[in-house]
Structure formats: C-alpha cells, structure tokens
Amino acid sequence: MAYQALYRVFRPQQFKDVIGQDAITTTLKNALIEQQTSHAYLFCGPRGTGKTSVAKILAKALNCRHIEAGEPDNTCDLCVAINNGSMTDVIEIDAASNNGVDEIRDIRDKAKYAPTEGKTKVYIIDEVHMLSTGAFNALLKTLEEPPAHVVFILATTEPQKIPATIISRTQRFDFRRITADDIVKRMQFILDDKKITYDDQALMVIAKAAEGGMRDALSILDQVLAFGQDHVTVENALDVTGGAAVVQLGEYLQHVAENDTAAALTTIEQLLASGKDAGRLIDDLIGYLRDLLVYQQAPALVNDTASALQDSHFKALADQFKPTQLYHMIAVLNATQGQLRLTNSPTLYLEVATVQLGQPVPQVVPAQAPVASAEVKQLEQTVAKLAKQIQTLQQGAPAATVPQSKPTTLAHQASRCPRKRFIRSSAPRRRKILKRSRRFGRTCCRCCPCRIRR
Ligand SMILES: [Zn+2]
C-alpha cells in the first residue's frame, strides 16, 4: 500500500482523540447524549486545528448505530463507510472550487430527500468563506428552513468573511491553536506507536515551527522521518524547519555580549550559508532573548522544554545582559523583522542588525541622557546670555536717547507751545497774544490759544 501521510493515518477518530479542543468536543458530546444537536454548525479556526476532523467525527456520531456516551464506535458499517469516504449521506464540499449559486442550489434540492443509508444527511462545507454572495444567499434559505434529517457543518479559517446572517443561523465553535506541549505529546504518542526513537528537543523544535497547527507539525515530522530514518534528531528537525541550533544562537549572543561584532557577523554568515532562513533566524533569536528575560525575572517560568535552557551559554548570558539591553535587542530584531518583509536581500538587514546589536548598547542608552542634559544646559546659558544683552540694551537705550532727545524736544515744545506761553504770561500780554492769535487761525498746534478762546 502506498505511504500515507502521518496526519491522515493518525487523524482523530473519536472526540477523545482530538487534541487541545476540549471545550468544543465536550459540548458536542453532551449535545449528542441529550439529542439536542443543532441543524447547522460553524467551525472557525486556524488551519490544522481539527475542524474537518471534528466535523467527520460529528457526522459519524450523528449516524452511528452504536453510539456510546456521544462517541461513534468506528466499527459499525456506517462509521466504516464514513471513514472510507463511501457513505453517500455524508457529503464533503470544497467551497473554494464549488463557490457558485448553482452548486448551492444543487445542495438545496438534494437536501430535501431523506438519507439513503444512515439517519442523518451531513453536508460538510469546507472553506465556506470562499462562497460567492449569491451562493451565500442561496445557502441562507436552506439554513433558515432545513429539512429535519439534514445537518450542515461549515468550516472556515476566515469567519470574518462570512455574512452575519449565516453566522446567526449556526452554532459557532472557535478552534484554538494547539499548544506546543500538546503537539509534542501527540507526536510522542505517534512515534511510540510506530516504534521510532526521538530526541525530546527535536519534537519541541517541530512543535514550535508548526505554530499551533497539528497537521503542520505532523507534515514536518513526516519530512524529518524521511530525512533520517529510525531516529528523530535535533539536527534533522532544524534542517527541515530551517531553524538554528540553540547552541549557535547562544554563541552568537555571546559574541554580541562581548561586543565582538566581527565574530558575531561570522556566526551569522555561517548560519545563513548553511541554508537557514533569515526570518526564521530572527524569530529564534527573539525567542531566545525572551527566554533570557523570563529567566532573569522568574526562573521557574522557563520550563525544561524551553529550547534555550539546553544551551551551555544560556545561564552565563542571563547574568551578562541587563534587562534594558535585552529590551533594546528585541526592539532592534523586531524592527529588522518588519524590514525583512519588504526586502529582497534579508541577509543585508540581518548583518546591519548584527552590527547594531554589537554596539555597546548599555553605554549608549544611558549616555543619551547626559548628552541631552548637557545640550539643555548649553542652551540655557545661551538664553541667559541673550537675556542679559537685551536687558543692557534696554537699559542703555533710554539712558542714551530719552534724557538726550526726548526731554529736550519736550522742553523745546513746551517753550514753543503757544498755550503754555499764553497761560504763563501776564494779562496785558494775554490780550496781545489773543489779538495775534487771530493771525494764526486754526493752523497752529492743538493747544493753540485760539482754541482756548473759543
Ligand atoms: Zn458506528
């Protein structure tokens, strides 16, 4: 028989086999026990988290002849037929390739007929978010008034693309990403079953690379097994996932800690030359730095499976780096990660980041404060100097101009002001002035005697 991928061979056959989705499987089992199953379900969640597997188990449980505590027995003819894919009442549709109105109308028309073999007709529509608007509307009608013997199970990785009118007619279950520990346990079970030996660290490397998807993890495990038979080694796992060995990461950070940029650059070059992916390398480095930070704050929280702990440099680095330095390094690597998405030459950015990390960071960060305060002091002195100059100018100006020019002009004006002269003068003189003022008319100054006269 042709080789079958691990994830197909070890697909969960009962609710109890499903890893990391206890809330969902318990709810479904209880609904089956109490015979209160819904007519439509919506399974959302990232890829490889068990949506299709749970849909198939539910389809079996709805049809099984000897259902026990909500679990299908997997031995009756209907369970076997569903497992083989030969059961005509369980219809799997890939909405990515059957996304038109016609396909959904076809489903609607056929759903009317009673199941031929089992008790319930189950439609499993995968990637349901790919349906066209018209198809969704056609499905809406069927979901609204479903025949009693039909159950719809819609599965999607992108629930936000599904109309609210569809979601409100279904029971929604959100599948979580599976934790690395759960993935490791499942891989241990599979490898023990196949009597293959393994390094624990290798399984952790695979689980981390899978990012919460069991199918991804088992696919990688398949590749690692193909790479090196009989034993799963850390080296093979790292080669397949493109990850860097923790020892190399430790060495690299040791060079950074010693401000030995040349050695750090050489390590990076070696890592990249051996085929490691730059993006993955940065991920691993950030993970290592995170472990260092957590270890400094709460050593108990870094569990034994943490890859970094396996490195001989780890504890020395935890003593050498200050938290501020670690924050700075994580920030630099994060920024580089963002730049990597926009560039075709990731190596370049990685080298620049290495140089940045190799700089004496702790000296730079606190040194910025004195530099800034020194600048502020200099500016303050300059401002004070300027203020003084302005003050002396202001003081100097009245002393130079006002006593010399203004008073003289005022005195001059006073002496020439006809009104003042008029007031100061004697009565006969005033009469004379008044007489003469007629000659000035109104052309004289404002305080002209002629105005007084008026
Ligand atoms: Zn059965």
Side-chain angles (χ1 to χ4, degrees), residues 372-430:
S373 66
E375 279 176 358
V376 170
K377 260 186 188 172
Q378 205 178 352
L379 280 171
E380 277 175 353
Q381 284 171 355
T382 320
V383 169
K385 260 185 200 173
L386 281 169
K388 245 184 189 177
Q389 280 179 0
I390 290 167
Q391 210 177 357
T392 46
L393 273 173
Q394 278 177 343
Q395 282 171 351
T401 55
V402 176
Q404 281 170 15
S405 62
K406 260 196 175 175
T408 46
T409 46
L410 281 176
H412 182 68
Q413 279 170 1
S415 65
R416 294 189 64 175
C417 176
R419 189 185 168 212
K420 279 182 184 165
R421 263 186 293 166
F422 178 75
I423 292 165
R424 280 176 200 159
S425 49
S426 57
R429 173 86 181 140
R430 279 182 198 172

Short mmCIF file of all heavy atoms in Angstrom, two decimals, residues 372-430:
data_model
loop_
_atom_site.label_atom_id
_atom_site.label_comp_id
_atom_site.label_asym_id
_atom_site.label_seq_id
_atom_site.Cartn_x
_atom_site.Cartn_y
_atom_site.Cartn_z
N ALA A 372 21.91 64.85 26.38
CA ALA A 372 20.75 65.71 26.23
C ALA A 372 20.78 66.82 27.27
O ALA A 372 20.56 67.99 26.96
CB ALA A 372 19.48 64.88 26.37
N SER A 373 21.11 66.45 28.54
CA SER A 373 21.09 67.47 29.60
C SER A 373 22.20 68.50 29.38
O SER A 373 22.02 69.68 29.69
CB SER A 373 21.21 66.82 30.98
OG SER A 373 22.48 66.23 31.11
N ALA A 374 23.35 68.03 28.84
CA ALA A 374 24.44 68.96 28.55
C ALA A 374 24.00 69.97 27.49
O ALA A 374 24.27 71.17 27.61
CB ALA A 374 25.66 68.18 28.06
N GLU A 375 23.29 69.45 26.48
CA GLU A 375 22.78 70.34 25.43
C GLU A 375 21.82 71.36 26.01
O GLU A 375 21.87 72.55 25.69
CB GLU A 375 22.09 69.50 24.35
CG GLU A 375 23.07 68.87 23.36
CD GLU A 375 22.37 67.97 22.36
OE1 GLU A 375 21.15 67.82 22.44
OE2 GLU A 375 23.08 67.42 21.51
N VAL A 376 20.94 70.87 26.89
CA VAL A 376 19.96 71.76 27.52
C VAL A 376 20.68 72.84 28.31
O VAL A 376 20.32 74.02 28.24
CB VAL A 376 19.00 70.94 28.42
CG1 VAL A 376 18.14 71.87 29.27
CG2 VAL A 376 18.10 70.04 27.57
N LYS A 377 21.73 72.43 29.06
CA LYS A 377 22.48 73.41 29.88
C LYS A 377 23.11 74.49 29.00
O LYS A 377 23.04 75.68 29.31
CB LYS A 377 23.59 72.69 30.66
CG LYS A 377 23.18 72.43 32.10
CD LYS A 377 24.35 71.86 32.87
CE LYS A 377 23.86 71.41 34.24
NZ LYS A 377 24.90 70.68 34.96
N GLN A 378 23.68 74.01 27.88
CA GLN A 378 24.33 74.95 26.96
C GLN A 378 23.30 75.96 26.43
O GLN A 378 23.56 77.17 26.38
CB GLN A 378 24.93 74.16 25.80
CG GLN A 378 26.09 74.86 25.14
CD GLN A 378 26.70 74.03 24.03
OE1 GLN A 378 26.33 72.87 23.86
NE2 GLN A 378 27.59 74.61 23.28
N LEU A 379 22.11 75.41 26.07
CA LEU A 379 21.06 76.27 25.55
C LEU A 379 20.61 77.27 26.61
O LEU A 379 20.39 78.46 26.31
CB LEU A 379 19.86 75.42 25.11
CG LEU A 379 20.01 74.75 23.74
CD1 LEU A 379 18.88 73.77 23.51
CD2 LEU A 379 19.99 75.82 22.62
N GLU A 380 20.51 76.79 27.86
CA GLU A 380 20.08 77.68 28.95
C GLU A 380 21.08 78.83 29.11
O GLU A 380 20.69 79.98 29.28
CB GLU A 380 20.00 76.88 30.25
CG GLU A 380 18.69 76.15 30.41
CD GLU A 380 18.68 75.27 31.66
OE1 GLU A 380 19.73 75.15 32.33
OE2 GLU A 380 17.62 74.71 31.93
N GLN A 381 22.38 78.47 29.04
CA GLN A 381 23.41 79.50 29.19
C GLN A 381 23.30 80.54 28.07
O GLN A 381 23.40 81.75 28.31
CB GLN A 381 24.81 78.85 29.16
CG GLN A 381 25.14 78.17 30.49
CD GLN A 381 26.41 77.35 30.40
OE1 GLN A 381 27.00 77.22 29.33
NE2 GLN A 381 26.82 76.81 31.54
N THR A 382 23.08 80.04 26.85
CA THR A 382 22.95 80.94 25.70
C THR A 382 21.77 81.88 25.88
O THR A 382 21.86 83.09 25.65
CB THR A 382 22.77 80.13 24.41
OG1 THR A 382 23.62 79.01 24.45
CG2 THR A 382 23.04 80.98 23.17
N VAL A 383 20.63 81.29 26.34
CA VAL A 383 19.43 82.10 26.55
C VAL A 383 19.69 83.16 27.61
O VAL A 383 19.31 84.33 27.45
CB VAL A 383 18.23 81.19 26.94
CG1 VAL A 383 17.05 82.02 27.41
CG2 VAL A 383 17.83 80.32 25.77
N ALA A 384 20.36 82.75 28.70
CA ALA A 384 20.65 83.70 29.77
C ALA A 384 21.51 84.84 29.27
O ALA A 384 21.28 86.01 29.59
CB ALA A 384 21.36 82.97 30.93
N LYS A 385 22.53 84.48 28.44
CA LYS A 385 23.42 85.49 27.86
C LYS A 385 22.62 86.50 27.03
O LYS A 385 22.78 87.72 27.16
CB LYS A 385 24.45 84.82 26.96
CG LYS A 385 25.82 84.64 27.63
CD LYS A 385 26.78 84.09 26.61
CE LYS A 385 27.99 83.44 27.30
NZ LYS A 385 28.84 82.76 26.35
N LEU A 386 21.76 85.94 26.18
CA LEU A 386 20.95 86.78 25.30
C LEU A 386 20.05 87.70 26.11
O LEU A 386 19.90 88.89 25.80
CB LEU A 386 20.10 85.90 24.36
CG LEU A 386 20.83 85.30 23.17
CD1 LEU A 386 19.98 84.27 22.47
CD2 LEU A 386 21.21 86.40 22.17
N ALA A 387 19.44 87.13 27.17
CA ALA A 387 18.54 87.92 28.02
C ALA A 387 19.29 89.10 28.64
O ALA A 387 18.77 90.21 28.71
CB ALA A 387 17.95 87.03 29.12
N LYS A 388 20.53 88.80 29.08
CA LYS A 388 21.36 89.85 29.68
C LYS A 388 21.64 90.96 28.68
O LYS A 388 21.54 92.16 28.99
CB LYS A 388 22.69 89.25 30.15
CG LYS A 388 22.86 89.30 31.65
CD LYS A 388 24.23 88.79 32.04
CE LYS A 388 24.31 88.62 33.54
NZ LYS A 388 25.59 88.07 33.95
N GLN A 389 22.01 90.53 27.46
CA GLN A 389 22.32 91.52 26.41
C GLN A 389 21.12 92.40 26.14
O GLN A 389 21.23 93.61 26.01
CB GLN A 389 22.74 90.78 25.14
CG GLN A 389 24.19 90.32 25.18
CD GLN A 389 24.60 89.57 23.95
OE1 GLN A 389 23.80 89.39 23.05
NE2 GLN A 389 25.84 89.11 23.91
N ILE A 390 19.93 91.75 26.06
CA ILE A 390 18.71 92.51 25.78
C ILE A 390 18.45 93.53 26.89
O ILE A 390 18.11 94.69 26.65
CB ILE A 390 17.51 91.56 25.61
CG1 ILE A 390 17.67 90.77 24.30
CG2 ILE A 390 16.18 92.33 25.60
CD1 ILE A 390 16.73 89.60 24.18
N GLN A 391 18.67 93.02 28.14
CA GLN A 391 18.42 93.90 29.29
C GLN A 391 19.32 95.14 29.25
O GLN A 391 18.86 96.26 29.43
CB GLN A 391 18.67 93.10 30.58
CG GLN A 391 17.81 93.60 31.73
CD GLN A 391 18.04 92.75 32.97
OE1 GLN A 391 18.78 91.77 32.94
NE2 GLN A 391 17.38 93.14 34.05
N THR A 392 20.61 94.88 28.99
CA THR A 392 21.55 96.01 28.96
C THR A 392 21.22 96.95 27.81
O THR A 392 21.33 98.16 27.95
CB THR A 392 23.01 95.52 28.79
OG1 THR A 392 23.03 94.54 27.75
CG2 THR A 392 23.55 94.91 30.07
N LEU A 393 20.75 96.36 26.72
CA LEU A 393 20.37 97.20 25.57
C LEU A 393 19.20 98.09 25.95
O LEU A 393 19.16 99.28 25.65
CB LEU A 393 20.00 96.32 24.38
CG LEU A 393 21.16 95.90 23.46
CD1 LEU A 393 20.68 94.91 22.43
CD2 LEU A 393 21.78 97.12 22.78
N GLN A 394 18.21 97.44 26.65
CA GLN A 394 17.02 98.20 27.03
C GLN A 394 17.38 99.30 28.02
O GLN A 394 16.87 100.41 27.96
CB GLN A 394 15.99 97.26 27.66
CG GLN A 394 15.17 96.54 26.59
CD GLN A 394 14.20 95.55 27.21
OE1 GLN A 394 14.33 95.18 28.36
NE2 GLN A 394 13.25 95.13 26.41
N GLN A 395 18.26 98.92 28.97
CA GLN A 395 18.67 99.92 29.97
C GLN A 395 19.48 101.02 29.31
O GLN A 395 19.34 102.19 29.62
CB GLN A 395 19.51 99.25 31.06
CG GLN A 395 18.65 98.50 32.05
CD GLN A 395 19.48 97.66 32.99
OE1 GLN A 395 20.68 97.50 32.82
NE2 GLN A 395 18.82 97.10 33.99
N GLY A 396 20.33 100.62 28.36
CA GLY A 396 21.21 101.56 27.68
C GLY A 396 20.46 102.50 26.78
O GLY A 396 20.75 103.70 26.72
N ALA A 397 19.43 102.08 26.14
CA ALA A 397 18.71 102.88 25.16
C ALA A 397 18.04 104.11 25.78
O ALA A 397 18.25 105.22 25.31
CB ALA A 397 17.71 102.01 24.42
N PRO A 398 17.26 103.93 26.90
CA PRO A 398 16.64 105.13 27.47
C PRO A 398 17.69 106.11 27.98
O PRO A 398 17.55 107.30 27.83
CB PRO A 398 15.80 104.58 28.63
CG PRO A 398 15.71 103.12 28.42
CD PRO A 398 16.88 102.70 27.61
N ALA A 399 18.78 105.51 28.60
CA ALA A 399 19.82 106.39 29.13
C ALA A 399 20.46 107.20 28.02
O ALA A 399 20.86 108.34 28.21
CB ALA A 399 20.88 105.53 29.82
N ALA A 400 20.55 106.59 26.84
CA ALA A 400 21.23 107.27 25.74
C ALA A 400 20.30 108.21 25.00
O ALA A 400 20.71 109.29 24.61
CB ALA A 400 21.79 106.23 24.78
N THR A 401 19.04 107.79 24.83
CA THR A 401 18.17 108.56 23.95
C THR A 401 17.21 109.46 24.69
O THR A 401 17.12 110.65 24.43
CB THR A 401 17.37 107.65 23.02
OG1 THR A 401 16.67 106.70 23.84
CG2 THR A 401 18.29 106.91 22.06
N VAL A 402 16.52 108.87 25.70
CA VAL A 402 15.43 109.64 26.32
C VAL A 402 15.93 110.93 26.98
O VAL A 402 15.44 112.00 26.67
CB VAL A 402 14.61 108.77 27.30
CG1 VAL A 402 13.56 109.57 28.02
CG2 VAL A 402 13.98 107.60 26.54
N PRO A 403 16.98 110.80 27.85
CA PRO A 403 17.38 112.07 28.50
C PRO A 403 17.93 113.07 27.51
O PRO A 403 17.82 114.26 27.72
CB PRO A 403 18.46 111.62 29.49
CG PRO A 403 18.49 110.13 29.47
CD PRO A 403 17.83 109.69 28.24
N GLN A 404 18.56 112.55 26.43
CA GLN A 404 19.17 113.48 25.49
C GLN A 404 18.16 114.12 24.54
O GLN A 404 18.09 115.31 24.40
CB GLN A 404 20.24 112.75 24.66
CG GLN A 404 21.55 112.57 25.46
CD GLN A 404 22.49 111.65 24.76
OE1 GLN A 404 22.32 111.37 23.59
NE2 GLN A 404 23.49 111.18 25.48
N SER A 405 17.35 113.23 23.91
CA SER A 405 16.49 113.75 22.86
C SER A 405 15.10 114.14 23.36
O SER A 405 14.68 115.27 23.21
CB SER A 405 16.35 112.73 21.73
OG SER A 405 15.74 111.55 22.22
N LYS A 406 14.44 113.12 24.08
CA LYS A 406 13.05 113.38 24.40
C LYS A 406 12.83 114.61 25.29
O LYS A 406 12.06 115.48 24.93
CB LYS A 406 12.41 112.13 25.02
CG LYS A 406 11.60 111.37 23.98
CD LYS A 406 10.66 110.37 24.64
CE LYS A 406 9.79 109.72 23.60
NZ LYS A 406 8.96 108.67 24.19
N PRO A 407 13.54 114.68 26.45
CA PRO A 407 13.30 115.85 27.31
C PRO A 407 13.58 117.16 26.58
O PRO A 407 12.83 118.13 26.75
CB PRO A 407 14.30 115.64 28.44
CG PRO A 407 14.57 114.17 28.44
CD PRO A 407 14.49 113.75 27.01
N THR A 408 14.63 117.15 25.74
CA THR A 408 14.94 118.40 25.04
C THR A 408 13.81 118.81 24.12
O THR A 408 13.42 119.97 24.07
CB THR A 408 16.23 118.27 24.22
OG1 THR A 408 16.18 117.05 23.50
CG2 THR A 408 17.47 118.30 25.11
N THR A 409 13.31 117.79 23.41
CA THR A 409 12.21 118.12 22.49
C THR A 409 11.01 118.59 23.26
O THR A 409 10.32 119.50 22.84
CB THR A 409 11.82 116.90 21.63
OG1 THR A 409 11.71 115.76 22.48
CG2 THR A 409 12.84 116.64 20.53
N LEU A 410 10.77 117.92 24.47
CA LEU A 410 9.60 118.31 25.26
C LEU A 410 9.75 119.76 25.74
O LEU A 410 8.83 120.57 25.65
CB LEU A 410 9.44 117.37 26.46
CG LEU A 410 8.79 116.02 26.15
CD1 LEU A 410 8.76 115.14 27.38
CD2 LEU A 410 7.37 116.23 25.61
N ALA A 411 10.99 120.02 26.24
CA ALA A 411 11.25 121.38 26.73
C ALA A 411 11.12 122.39 25.60
O ALA A 411 10.53 123.46 25.76
CB ALA A 411 12.66 121.43 27.31
N HIS A 412 11.66 121.92 24.49
CA HIS A 412 11.61 122.76 23.32
C HIS A 412 10.17 123.06 22.93
O HIS A 412 9.79 124.21 22.70
CB HIS A 412 12.33 122.02 22.18
CG HIS A 412 12.39 122.79 20.91
ND1 HIS A 412 13.15 123.94 20.80
CD2 HIS A 412 11.82 122.58 19.70
CE1 HIS A 412 13.02 124.40 19.57
NE2 HIS A 412 12.21 123.58 18.89
N GLN A 413 9.38 121.89 22.97
CA GLN A 413 7.98 122.04 22.58
C GLN A 413 7.25 122.95 23.58
O GLN A 413 6.43 123.79 23.21
CB GLN A 413 7.30 120.67 22.53
CG GLN A 413 7.59 119.94 21.22
CD GLN A 413 7.13 118.51 21.27
OE1 GLN A 413 6.59 118.07 22.28
NE2 GLN A 413 7.34 117.82 20.19
N ALA A 414 7.59 122.72 24.92
CA ALA A 414 6.91 123.49 25.95
C ALA A 414 7.16 124.99 25.77
O ALA A 414 6.27 125.81 25.91
CB ALA A 414 7.40 123.04 27.32
N SER A 415 8.43 125.24 25.44
CA SER A 415 8.76 126.66 25.28
C SER A 415 8.08 127.27 24.08
O SER A 415 7.81 128.46 24.06
CB SER A 415 10.28 126.81 25.15
OG SER A 415 10.67 126.17 23.95
N ARG A 416 7.86 126.35 23.09
CA ARG A 416 7.25 126.90 21.88
C ARG A 416 5.74 126.78 21.88
O ARG A 416 5.09 127.28 20.97
CB ARG A 416 7.81 126.16 20.65
CG ARG A 416 9.28 126.42 20.46
CD ARG A 416 9.74 125.87 19.17
NE ARG A 416 9.12 126.53 18.05
CZ ARG A 416 9.43 126.29 16.78
NH1 ARG A 416 10.35 125.38 16.51
NH2 ARG A 416 8.84 126.93 15.81
N CYS A 417 5.18 126.06 22.92
CA CYS A 417 3.73 125.85 22.91
C CYS A 417 3.02 127.17 23.22
O CYS A 417 3.20 127.75 24.29
CB CYS A 417 3.35 124.80 23.95
SG CYS A 417 1.57 124.58 24.06
N PRO A 418 2.22 127.66 22.30
CA PRO A 418 1.57 128.95 22.48
C PRO A 418 0.65 128.98 23.70
O PRO A 418 0.55 129.98 24.39
CB PRO A 418 0.77 129.13 21.20
CG PRO A 418 1.18 128.05 20.29
CD PRO A 418 1.84 126.99 21.08
N ARG A 419 0.04 127.80 23.95
CA ARG A 419 -0.92 127.78 25.05
C ARG A 419 -0.21 128.01 26.37
O ARG A 419 -0.67 128.78 27.22
CB ARG A 419 -1.63 126.44 25.05
CG ARG A 419 -2.79 126.43 26.02
CD ARG A 419 -3.41 125.05 26.10
NE ARG A 419 -4.30 125.00 27.20
CZ ARG A 419 -4.53 123.93 27.91
NH1 ARG A 419 -3.88 122.83 27.61
NH2 ARG A 419 -5.39 123.94 28.92
N LYS A 420 0.96 127.27 26.53
CA LYS A 420 1.70 127.41 27.78
C LYS A 420 2.24 128.83 27.93
O LYS A 420 2.21 129.42 29.01
CB LYS A 420 2.83 126.39 27.81
CG LYS A 420 2.29 125.04 28.23
CD LYS A 420 3.36 124.00 28.34
CE LYS A 420 2.67 122.67 28.67
NZ LYS A 420 3.54 121.55 28.46
N ARG A 421 2.70 129.31 26.83
CA ARG A 421 3.22 130.70 26.87
C ARG A 421 2.09 131.65 27.27
O ARG A 421 2.25 132.56 28.06
CB ARG A 421 3.75 131.12 25.50
CG ARG A 421 5.27 130.96 25.38
CD ARG A 421 5.75 131.52 24.09
NE ARG A 421 5.25 130.73 22.97
CZ ARG A 421 5.28 131.12 21.69
NH1 ARG A 421 5.73 132.31 21.40
NH2 ARG A 421 4.84 130.36 20.75
N PHE A 422 0.89 131.36 26.73
CA PHE A 422 -0.30 132.18 26.99
C PHE A 422 -0.67 132.15 28.48
O PHE A 422 -0.93 133.18 29.10
CB PHE A 422 -1.47 131.63 26.15
CG PHE A 422 -2.75 132.35 26.35
CD1 PHE A 422 -2.94 133.63 25.77
CD2 PHE A 422 -3.77 131.81 27.11
CE1 PHE A 422 -4.13 134.29 25.95
CE2 PHE A 422 -4.95 132.49 27.29
CZ PHE A 422 -5.14 133.73 26.71
N ILE A 423 -0.67 130.87 29.04
CA ILE A 423 -1.06 130.74 30.44
C ILE A 423 -0.06 131.46 31.36
O ILE A 423 -0.42 132.09 32.34
CB ILE A 423 -1.17 129.25 30.81
CG1 ILE A 423 -2.35 128.62 30.06
CG2 ILE A 423 -1.33 129.05 32.32
CD1 ILE A 423 -2.38 127.14 30.05
N ARG A 424 1.24 131.29 31.00
CA ARG A 424 2.27 131.86 31.87
C ARG A 424 2.32 133.41 31.80
O ARG A 424 2.77 134.07 32.71
CB ARG A 424 3.65 131.31 31.44
CG ARG A 424 3.89 129.91 31.97
CD ARG A 424 5.20 129.40 31.44
NE ARG A 424 5.27 127.94 31.52
CZ ARG A 424 6.08 127.22 30.80
NH1 ARG A 424 6.90 127.81 29.93
NH2 ARG A 424 6.12 125.93 30.94
N SER A 425 1.86 133.89 30.70
CA SER A 425 2.05 135.35 30.50
C SER A 425 1.06 136.21 31.34
O SER A 425 0.05 135.71 31.82
CB SER A 425 1.90 135.67 29.01
OG SER A 425 0.72 135.07 28.53
N SER A 426 1.39 137.49 31.44
CA SER A 426 0.56 138.43 32.23
C SER A 426 -0.69 138.83 31.45
O SER A 426 -0.79 138.55 30.25
CB SER A 426 1.40 139.70 32.53
OG SER A 426 1.82 140.23 31.27
N ALA A 427 -1.63 139.46 32.08
CA ALA A 427 -2.92 139.80 31.46
C ALA A 427 -2.78 140.67 30.22
O ALA A 427 -3.40 140.36 29.20
CB ALA A 427 -3.83 140.46 32.49
N PRO A 428 -1.97 141.72 30.26
CA PRO A 428 -1.85 142.54 29.02
C PRO A 428 -1.21 141.75 27.88
O PRO A 428 -1.60 141.85 26.72
CB PRO A 428 -0.96 143.71 29.45
CG PRO A 428 -0.51 143.46 30.82
CD PRO A 428 -1.24 142.31 31.39
N ARG A 429 -0.29 140.93 28.32
CA ARG A 429 0.42 140.09 27.31
C ARG A 429 -0.60 139.11 26.67
O ARG A 429 -0.59 138.86 25.47
CB ARG A 429 1.53 139.30 28.00
CG ARG A 429 2.21 138.29 27.13
CD ARG A 429 3.34 138.91 26.32
NE ARG A 429 3.96 137.90 25.46
CZ ARG A 429 4.35 138.13 24.23
NH1 ARG A 429 4.14 139.35 23.69
NH2 ARG A 429 4.96 137.22 23.56
N ARG A 430 -1.50 138.55 27.54
CA ARG A 430 -2.51 137.60 27.05
C ARG A 430 -3.42 138.26 26.01
O ARG A 430 -3.74 137.67 25.00
CB ARG A 430 -3.40 137.12 28.21
CG ARG A 430 -2.75 136.02 28.99
CD ARG A 430 -3.71 135.58 30.07
NE ARG A 430 -3.02 134.84 31.12
CZ ARG A 430 -3.57 134.48 32.23
NH1 ARG A 430 -4.83 134.81 32.47
NH2 ARG A 430 -2.90 133.84 33.12
#
